[in-house]
Amino acid sequence: MIHERTLQALEYTKVIDCLAGYCVSETGREAAMRLRPFTRIEDVHHAARLYEQCRTWAGAGGDAAFRMSAFPDVRGVLQEAGAARPRLDLDAFWALREVLRLARRAVDSLRQGDAPRQWPDLLALAEGCTLPQQLAPALERCLSDDGFLKDESSPELYLVRTELRRLHQSCMRKVKDYAIQYNMLAYLQDEFMTLASDRYVLPLKANFKGRMQGIIHDWSQTGETCYFEPMFLVEINNRLQELKRQEREEENRVLQYLADLLRAEMPGMRAAGELLRDLDVLFARVRLGERYDGHCVTVTEGDGTVELLQARHPLLALAAGSARRALDAVHPLDILLRPGERGLIISGGNAGGKTVCLKTLGLAAAMTLAGLPVPAARGSHLPCWQRIDAFIGDEQSLDDHVSTFTAQIQHLAKSWKYMDSGTLVLLDEFGAGTDPAQGAALAQALLDELLDNDAYVLAATHFPALKAYALTREKARAASVLFDPGTRKPLFRLAYDQVGASQALDVAREHGMPESVLRRAEQYLLLDGQDASAVMTRLNELAVAREKELAALHGELEKQRRQKAQLQERFERERSRLHEEVRQKAGELMRAWKEGKATHRQALKEMSRLRAELAPKAPAAEVTAPPVQASDLALGQQVLYRPFGKRGNIMEIDGRRKKVRLDMNGVCLWANIQDIEPVTAVAPAQRQAPARVAGDGHTALTLDLRGKRADVAIREVEQFLDKALLAGFEGVEIVHGRGTGILRKEIHNFLRSFPAIREFSLAPEDRGGDGMTVVTFR
């Protein structure tokens, strides 16, 4: 666990206060204020997944859209409902209804879309909440939006209120008739009836009160009006009181019924409140991340490296006011520890950002372990630290009679036994409150022990001994905060594997120290022989130049990434446009064919032409390749037929017509020599083999079906005809053999039903006779 003292030193509570401010309910704010870092890596990963899924859910639209709204705190209502004789009024049940309504909307929203893939952990959270099955519809039926009981709450209440409305209308009618009959309008202060002491009365002018018989119930504040009940309204008002009593009894029965349902489904009601509380905190975390463009840093176990990229101090990012301002106003830091390294010792000038660096890592680690987003770049990762100890700032206390140095020693002694490989220790100028030599020696010994225990250490120092220690100690790494070589102002960047000067005199000059004091200080440095400022300044200049080069390289890399993304986006747009054009053209061809404006063959040819236009053009190397000659080919040689993109074997060569007959897995066709490409070399013996030259001028695609069953043959014929039509052939040859004639008969029956065939007939005797069928397309 992380001690509250460390959280206070890192100002973790300020982040929590901001998080609580984004909550919309009192229960959510209280839960946010109680949020502390988890100790189990499983809980950290679960909290990170919930955050990312809630971000996705918050940006969802349609049926899955959900917006977190304020809801009442019903904990007091539930506590009262558990009493022996609960007293629950309409306001309490209205609050329960609002909670159940919002919980139901949340659960229904989480179940929309592809929930198991988009937000599985959120869905599991919702599925684990069993909402009341009877209380929710009962509250919807009984309560109106203005918080009163509906007439439909019970049949008895409906009858009583119906009678009350009838009585009111009857009373209004009688008063109007009575006023007209006895010319009473001049006696009345207003021309309407009102209620006084829950009885119907007339606002009578005070000077006319003796003109009529009745009962005066009240007077106005001015004394000019008396609320007068005429004798003819007495009986009606008595009936009204009776109905009012019955109404109250029926309302109490309805409230008691709702209270009984609440007690019966108390666990579901509590679960609904807890679900909304958790969702309120989740949405607050999302809004906190949006404030400074934060992400949940990955927590690893066993890797041991620290990689916090482009990290900004969360409180500085929050103070910027928005994500855009945070990116512009707060300087990012890369805090890195490579494999095998456990300590990072930061040196450099005052006001250069060393303490901010320590607090950034410490606060980012605490927020990560609590499942909160951190203003750092994606790809950052941290170990799963079980404990963080921060020795930062002035810890002296007059009440406890301790100085800063003794306070740090006391806290260190108390925590020493817990500092192991799961601990992060932050040391801000440890040992600076005592003799410099002894303080430096104590700091080095402390670092030795911590590194030997595999604890992680981030230390800021001005001690020269620690600067040399950082460059030579195994498991330690040196870093320096950078200053502008020209202005001597801090750049708030870290340069690794080097040390930096403290820049005390420059900082003092920047903040108004008298020049005479500074000149004397420089003289003392020269006398002591400890002025290494020239060397440190040169190291700082080299580091700044290197950082600028790295920044330029990163900028160029980011530019290349943006260009790649733009090209990819342009490619996708062009591909979508081409797909839409093909779809529209295909639709037009289909409509023309159905309407008889184009034959089947014309439509297929147009589709073939369109496909050829969209096909990728051959590379220049292929176009300029030397043409294949008939003398370079041999029977049985394997070649590539480029229009189909398939391989086949040469069966015949027609040198005069520059064509070859190819066998491509049983499909035979005559192809132009210019459309083929040799795949296998021709053996010398093959080159001398005589080529069989076709004696006729026939060119067609041939399918050999001899020896196959009728059903298999029909299936192959159908596929064969489709390919031939798409390739633009005018006809094909189907070899089925003579045999008993059954296969030929089945093939002819199929050809008669094929719509794209104009005619078919048996081949001439010299080309196969009744063993082959010649097909001509439309």
Side-chain angles (χ1 to χ4, degrees):
M1 60 177 293
I2 302 177
H3 199 274
E4 284 295 325
R5 170 188 164 275
T6 297
L7 296 179
Q8 290 292 338
L10 296 175
E11 299 179 284
Y12 173 83
T13 53
K14 292 184 178 180
V15 177
I16 292 301
D17 289 339
C18 184
L19 175 69
Y22 285 119
C23 294
V24 298
S25 68
E26 185 62 29
T27 57
R29 282 186 284 271
E30 292 180 7
M33 294 299 294
R34 294 193 303 268
L35 186 61
R36 291 296 181 270
F38 298 106
T39 57
R40 299 172 61 247
I41 191 171
E42 295 81 5
D43 296 333
V44 178
H45 289 166
H46 183 254
R49 291 196 304 270
L50 284 176
Y51 171 79
E52 295 297 338
Q53 293 170 20
C54 190
R55 283 188 62 182
T56 304
W57 183 35
D63 295 336
F66 177 78
R67 295 295 176 267
M68 196 70 197
S69 57
F71 59 92
D73 185 0
V74 296
R75 291 174 296 179
V77 176
L78 299 182
Q79 184 177 0
E80 177 65 24
R85 299 181 64 182
R87 294 184 177 182
L88 301 178
D89 55 10
L90 284 173
D91 290 339
F93 287 111
W94 179 86
L96 294 175
R97 190 194 70 167
E98 292 302 301
V99 169
L100 289 177
R101 270 187 177 181
L102 189 59
R104 173 53 61 188
R105 287 205 302 270
V107 172
D108 290 344
S109 173
L110 286 171
R111 289 173 176 169
Q112 298 298 324
D114 190 8
R117 184 181 61 85
Q118 290 180 299
W119 40 73
D121 295 279
L122 276 177
L123 182 62
L125 184 66
E127 296 291 353
C129 173
T130 304
L131 299 179
Q133 300 299 312
Q134 297 181 350
L135 179 61
L139 290 173
E140 292 291 343
R141 185 184 71 251
C142 296
L143 291 180
S144 62
D145 290 335
D146 52 6
F148 295 102
L149 283 178
K150 296 180 181 179
D151 296 349
E152 298 82 7
S153 298
S154 71
E156 294 79 5
L157 183 61
Y158 180 82
L159 292 176
V160 170
R161 289 185 174 177
T162 301
E163 181 63 18
L164 280 171
R165 285 190 290 269
R166 188 196 64 76
L167 185 65
H168 176 75
Q169 294 172 359
S170 174
C171 186
M172 292 288 292
R173 187 171 57 254
K174 287 185 178 183
V175 168
K176 183 177 180 180
D177 293 344
Y178 186 83
I180 294 175
Q181 181 179 357
Y182 294 98
N183 196 22
M184 289 179 55
L185 295 179
Y187 303 159
L188 300 179
Q189 194 72 264
D190 295 299
E191 296 182 4
F192 59 85
M193 181 177 61
T194 186
L195 284 172
S197 301
D198 211 18
R199 298 178 73 87
Y200 289 121
V201 294
L202 298 175
L204 189 66
K205 295 179 181 179
N207 53 343
F208 292 108
K209 66 180 184 298
R211 302 289 184 91
M212 300 174 59
Q213 291 184 349
I215 303 170
I216 296 177
H217 287 275
D218 202 358
W219 293 81
S220 66
Q221 292 182 354
T222 61
E224 296 181 358
T225 303
C226 62
Y227 297 101
F228 178 76
E229 180 183 3
M231 296 305 297
F232 74 89
L233 287 181
V234 172
E235 186 64 28
I236 294 177
N237 278 325
N238 290 340
R239 175 61 178 161
L240 174 66
Q241 296 304 313
E242 181 181 355
L243 291 174
K244 286 286 186 181
R245 178 184 58 79
Q246 294 179 12
E247 182 185 28
R248 285 192 294 272
E249 292 177 354
E250 292 303 325
E251 287 178 347
N252 288 334
R253 289 194 184 96
V254 173
L255 294 180
Q256 185 60 44
Y257 166 74
L258 295 176
D260 293 339
L261 287 179
L262 174 59
R263 282 195 295 271
E265 297 185 302
M266 185 69 74
M269 190 66 234
R270 292 187 188 277
E274 292 170 358
L275 173 65
L276 291 184
R277 176 201 65 198
D278 295 342
L279 292 180
D280 190 11
V281 176
L282 263 178
F283 275 93
R285 288 164 56 191
V286 171
R287 284 188 283 271
L288 180 68
E290 291 173 348
R291 176 76 175 271
Y292 46 55
D293 191 26
H295 311 281
C296 279
V297 176
T298 303
V299 176
T300 60
E301 193 172 30
D303 178 53
T305 60
V306 174
E307 195 167 330
L308 198 60
L309 306 175
Q310 296 294 295
R312 294 167 173 82
H313 192 285
L315 293 180
L316 296 179
L318 285 172
S322 67
R324 175 54 58 188
R325 292 177 182 173
L327 291 174
D328 296 336
V330 184
H331 296 277
L333 290 171
D334 290 340
I335 303 176
L336 308 171
L337 282 179
R338 296 168 296 196
E341 296 175 342
R342 287 293 185 271
L344 181 63
I345 301 174
I346 306 173
S347 58
N350 298 89
K354 298 188 299 297
T355 303
V356 172
C357 182
L358 267 62
K359 287 188 172 182
T360 299
L361 177 60
L363 186 54
M367 293 173 63
T368 296
L369 295 176
L372 295 176
V374 175
R378 292 191 182 275
S380 302
H381 62 84
L382 296 173
C384 186
W385 287 309
Q386 300 298 313
R387 183 182 179 90
I388 300 177
D389 288 287
F391 301 91
I392 299 174
D394 188 1
E395 298 189 46
Q396 69 173 340
S397 172
L398 295 178
D399 294 334
D400 297 333
H401 307 288
V402 293
S403 65
T404 298
F405 178 72
T406 54
Q408 289 184 346
I409 295 298
Q410 288 178 359
H411 292 311
L412 185 61
K414 293 177 182 178
S415 307
W416 184 254
K417 61 182 179 181
Y418 303 110
M419 293 182 177
D420 54 16
S421 59
T423 304
L424 171 65
V425 182
L426 304 174
L427 301 173
D428 186 21
E429 299 185 25
F430 182 81
T434 186
D435 176 76
Q438 296 184 25
L442 183 61
Q444 290 182 74
L446 175 61
L447 289 173
D448 276 336
E449 290 291 328
L450 290 174
L451 294 177
D452 288 343
N453 291 338
D454 274 344
Y456 291 81
V457 187
L458 197 65
T461 186
H462 290 286
F463 289 142
L466 280 184
K467 296 177 184 178
Y469 176 91
L471 292 172
T472 58
R473 177 62 160 85
E474 187 181 359
K475 293 187 178 181
R477 189 178 191 187
S480 171
V481 290
L482 297 179
F483 282 74
D484 187 287
T487 63
R488 299 289 184 177
K489 291 185 178 180
L491 297 175
F492 303 106
R493 294 180 187 167
L494 280 181
Y496 283 90
D497 304 317
Q498 74 169 51
V499 295
S502 294
Q503 306 274 1
L505 300 185
D506 293 328
V507 174
R509 182 177 286 108
E510 178 71 21
H511 289 80
M513 179 66 73
E515 193 64 31
S516 59
V517 176
L518 295 174
R519 283 197 298 270
R520 286 180 179 270
E522 290 172 350
Q523 292 173 2
Y524 283 124
L525 281 175
L526 292 174
L527 290 174
D528 293 342
Q530 297 180 0
D531 187 9
S533 59
V535 175
M536 294 298 182
T537 299
R538 179 56 180 163
L539 288 175
N540 181 78
E541 291 176 355
L542 293 175
V544 171
R546 184 183 65 178
E547 289 297 315
K548 289 181 178 179
E549 291 177 1
L550 289 175
L553 289 175
H554 284 303
E556 185 64 25
L557 179 61
E558 187 62 28
K559 179 181 177 181
Q560 295 294 333
R561 288 176 178 171
R562 287 196 300 269
Q563 290 179 350
K564 180 181 178 181
Q566 292 173 357
L567 290 174
Q568 184 67 24
E569 182 180 358
R570 189 185 308 167
F571 168 74
E572 293 295 336
R573 286 199 307 266
E574 186 67 17
R575 185 173 67 173
S576 299
R577 183 186 64 80
L578 289 175
H579 285 179
E580 183 64 21
E581 288 183 4
V582 172
R583 189 188 64 81
Q584 293 178 357
K585 188 64 177 178
E588 293 175 2
L589 291 175
M590 184 61 67
R591 285 192 297 272
W593 178 65
K594 289 182 177 180
E595 293 172 0
K597 297 179 181 179
T599 65
H600 189 220
R601 184 179 179 184
Q602 290 173 337
L604 289 173
K605 282 189 174 182
E606 183 64 21
M607 284 296 295
S608 180
R609 185 192 63 78
L610 182 62
R611 185 184 63 179
E613 289 180 358
L614 295 177
K617 300 296 187 294
E622 292 183 15
V623 174
T624 58
V628 179
Q629 302 296 329
S631 58
D632 298 330
L633 302 176
L635 295 178
Q637 182 181 3
Q638 189 179 51
V639 295
L640 174 67
Y641 184 46
R642 283 194 292 263
F644 282 11
K646 293 183 178 298
R647 297 184 179 189
N649 296 321
I650 298 177
M651 300 175 63
E652 296 182 39
I653 300 176
D654 188 344
R656 182 177 59 82
R657 298 174 58 246
K658 296 183 179 180
K659 290 182 180 292
V660 294
R661 185 178 178 87
L662 300 179
D663 178 10
M664 295 186 292
N665 295 327
V667 177
C668 298
L669 59 87
W670 281 96
N672 293 323
I673 291 180
Q674 63 184 9
D675 291 335
I676 66 173
E677 176 183 335
V679 175
T680 59
V682 181
Q686 287 181 313
R687 290 187 180 275
Q688 297 173 2
R692 185 161 59 94
V693 179
D696 56 5
H698 180 69
T699 301
L701 194 66
T702 305
L703 175 65
D704 193 346
L705 300 174
R706 286 174 290 186
K708 297 186 179 181
R709 298 198 315 270
D711 56 342
V712 176
I714 295 299
R715 189 161 57 247
E716 291 189 11
V717 167
E718 183 177 12
Q719 297 175 357
F720 175 70
L721 294 177
D722 290 339
K723 291 180 179 179
L725 285 168
L726 290 175
F729 283 88
E730 297 182 356
V732 295
E733 298 173 350
I734 301 175
V735 180
H736 40 68
R738 289 184 170 86
T740 60
I742 297 178
L743 181 59
R744 179 181 68 246
K745 181 179 179 182
E746 293 294 332
I747 291 175
H748 285 187
N749 290 336
F750 172 77
L751 295 177
R752 291 188 185 95
S753 63
F754 199 82
I757 293 178
R758 185 178 64 188
E759 61 180 2
F760 64 90
S761 61
L762 293 175
E765 194 62 34
D766 61 338
R767 291 173 52 195
D770 56 359
M772 182 174 72
T773 299
V774 179
V775 179
T776 305
F777 294 133
R778 294 182 184 277

